Amino acid sequence: MNDTTVTLVGNVATAVEYRETAGGGVARFRFAVTARRRDRETGLWSDGNTSFYTVSAWRSLGANLAASVSVGEPLVVHGRLKVREDERDGQRKTFVDVDALAVGHDLTRGTAAFRRVAKAEQVPRPEAEPTLVQAPEQDPWTEATKRLVTAP
């Protein structure tokens, strides 16, 4: 199959909506990507145009995304690009969607604490919420992050 895959770096523009469908759970949100350029003469950064994408994440990725992401957070989204046209209000419009294969926080802009999800039971239970496993009290990664964030 010749899918076009893309990797986008930007910010969550809308709240993540999660719902169950016949094909499994799906999370959807709008994602804003703004080009930034540095002016060599002044040394200042300026924002370019912002592009918006509708990102869909299915099954466990969708459930984990809905439990982990909020509006405004910086993300890296990798997935299949889908371009479609539709007629709305008598005008032809183009929409760009991404079916996410992987999503993560952009760690160039902050820190994150990863938590594994407990393995699901063999029998799927669509009404069940994702189960998060708490990190141990003395998790070395959490302790190292605290030292970095609170270091003078």
Side-chain angles (χ1 to χ4, degrees), residues 34-69:
T34 303
R36 297 203 76 204
R37 308 245 186 271
R38 186 171 184 266
D39 185 332
R40 290 184 186 197
E41 293 177 11
T42 65
L44 299 174
W45 288 90
S46 62
D47 288 342
N49 293 331
T50 300
S51 298
F52 289 92
Y53 303 86
T54 299
V55 177
S56 299
W58 292 86
R59 293 171 282 289
S60 63
L61 176 58
N64 293 342
L65 194 137
S68 304
V69 172

Side-chain angles (χ1 to χ4, degrees), residues 66-141:
S68 304
V69 172
S70 300
V71 173
E73 292 183 350
L75 297 181
V76 178
V77 174
H78 178 75
R80 290 183 205 91
L81 186 68
K82 308 278 184 177
V83 179
R84 60 187 169 83
E85 290 188 9
D86 196 6
E87 191 169 324
R88 292 194 180 170
D89 302 326
Q91 292 184 356
R92 200 99 179 124
K93 296 193 177 209
T94 302
F95 297 92
V96 183
D97 302 332
V98 176
D99 284 337
L101 300 172
V103 177
H105 284 98
D106 181 358
L107 297 181
T108 62
R109 309 224 344 249
T111 62
F114 181 78
R115 293 178 306 276
R116 285 197 185 275
V117 176
K119 290 188 178 185
E121 297 176 10
Q122 296 293 358
V123 179
R125 294 176 27 207
E127 72 278 357
E129 291 291 320
T131 305
L132 298 178
V133 176
Q134 293 295 329
E137 267 313 299
Q138 297 298 319
D139 181 18
W141 295 104

